[in-house]
Amino acid sequence: MLRYFISLFLILGFAKIKAQQKPIDLQPKDTVVYEQPYGIRVGIDLSRPIVSSFQDNYTGFEIVGDYRLTQKLYLAAELGNENKTRIEELGGIDVPNDAQLYDFTTSGSYLKLGVDYNTYENWYGMNNSIFVGGRFAISSFSQTVDSFRFYESNRYWSRDQFAPGSTESQEFSGRTQSWIEFVFGTKVELFANIYLGGSIRLGFLFSDPNVEPFPNLFIPGFNKVTEGSKFGVGYNYSISYLIPLYKKAKKPEETEEQEPEPTNN
């Protein structure tokens, strides 16, 4: 019996010595893996229905969506429709009764396709984004002139207003315009898979909007056209839902080891 205990103590002592010879990792690495969702995010632009409810001369609707390709890169698209009536007036001139030149209605649809790149470094487990991107956009629409007056710098015969033109509607249909957009925006996850987003857009038209006999003063999806310029500014505020299709694992980024600073004795 004594011989048995002696043998057991020898075996345990030998195992302890071997264990002490194994190097100890003083900085163990985190092996936890976080799986991030990949899928299609679909939603609507909130700004257009809100503006439609407050302005009688405007109706609009836009569907937004993106698809995650990589950790940072997304395919993105917007599809929408707008109808807007505008009245063009000349300000700062001596016309006491009526400075209105014409009023017109623009109606049409548009499609935008492009990519977004997320520049935001999320905390572990977050899926927010601050992104930059680009779009190629095309719009198909019609312009309807509801009425117009003739502009005259010398109003000898009609001092109080512009000379009458026509009150009969003239429609110019089948018009198209294309442009590119630079996009800057953000998307924040409010709840699980529900995102609130916003973006501003700077567009540049490929072709001249000053076509005859009536120029394209408003283009659906592009916004107001400034006289003598091909640039335009737009925006949107969206709420969207992510449809997860699969997940990809991403390990937390490792921090670089810092060497201890030498101490002076």
Side-chain angles (χ1 to χ4, degrees):
M1 191 68 177
L2 180 60
R3 183 179 299 177
Y4 171 77
F5 282 111
I6 293 174
S7 300
L8 181 60
F9 287 139
L10 290 175
I11 292 173
L12 293 176
F14 180 75
K16 183 177 181 180
I17 293 173
K18 294 294 290 183
Q20 291 177 347
Q21 293 177 351
K22 184 178 180 180
I24 299 175
D25 189 358
L26 298 179
Q27 294 181 343
K29 296 181 176 58
D30 189 359
T31 58
V32 178
V33 176
Y34 172 67
E35 292 187 336
Q36 294 184 325
Y38 283 67
I40 300 175
R41 187 162 44 191
V42 181
I44 61 171
D45 172 35
L46 298 175
S47 63
R48 284 168 171 79
I50 292 175
V51 174
S52 299
S53 63
F54 286 98
Q55 295 185 6
D56 296 333
N57 63 344
Y58 175 84
T59 57
F61 185 78
E62 181 179 277
I63 300 174
V64 301
D66 59 40
Y67 177 76
R68 190 176 189 177
L69 293 175
T70 66
Q71 183 70 25
K72 298 287 188 179
L73 192 63
Y74 295 77
L75 285 177
E78 292 90 24
L79 175 65
N81 180 275
E82 288 186 307
N83 183 295
K84 185 175 179 64
T85 299
R86 287 184 55 193
I87 297 176
E88 289 296 320
E89 298 180 345
L90 292 181
I93 59 176
D94 184 19
V95 183
N97 290 339
D98 193 356
Q100 177 180 319
L101 278 178
Y102 50 81
D103 66 282
F104 66 97
T105 300
T106 304
S107 179
S109 303
Y110 59 90
L111 174 65
K112 303 178 183 181
L113 298 173
V115 294
D116 292 330
Y117 183 80
N118 183 17
T119 63
Y120 181 68
E121 292 294 338
N122 281 291
W123 292 357
Y124 194 64
M126 294 174 59
N127 287 307
N128 301 328
S129 64
I130 299 175
F131 61 87
V132 294
R135 303 284 189 276
F136 171 79
I138 186 169
S139 179
S140 176
F141 56 96
S142 64
Q143 303 275 19
T144 302
V145 181
D146 298 315
S147 65
F148 69 91
R149 296 176 181 271
F150 292 105
Y151 172 74
E152 293 178 315
S153 58
N154 183 9
R155 298 187 305 278
Y156 181 81
W157 301 106
S158 54
R159 296 179 180 275
D160 295 337
Q161 63 181 7
F162 292 118
S166 174
T167 57
E168 295 183 3
S169 296
Q170 301 180 49
E171 182 178 2
F172 306 97
S173 59
R175 295 194 171 184
T176 59
Q177 286 280 355
S178 57
W179 66 94
I180 55 173
E181 282 185 352
F182 172 77
V183 184
F184 176 78
T186 181
K187 284 187 173 71
V188 179
E189 188 174 17
L190 298 179
F191 309 102
N193 298 332
I194 297 179
Y195 293 81
L196 184 66
S199 68
I200 56 176
R201 289 129 187 280
L202 175 64
F204 178 79
L205 291 169
F206 286 125
S207 57
D208 190 353
N210 296 317
V211 295
E212 295 294 342
F214 185 77
N216 296 323
L217 301 179
F218 183 88
I219 301 173
F222 183 82
N223 212 338
K224 180 181 177 180
V225 178
T226 304
E227 184 179 359
S229 174
K230 292 185 178 182
F231 288 94
V233 178
Y235 64 92
N236 75 351
Y237 300 100
S238 64
I239 186 167
S240 55
Y241 178 77
L242 173 64
I243 304 174
L245 300 179
Y246 60 94
K247 292 184 177 181
K248 280 187 178 182
K250 179 181 182 296
K251 293 183 179 180
E253 296 182 0
E254 299 178 0
T255 58
E256 295 182 359
E257 299 180 1
Q258 297 182 353
E259 297 181 359
E261 296 181 358
T263 58
N264 297 325
N265 295 329

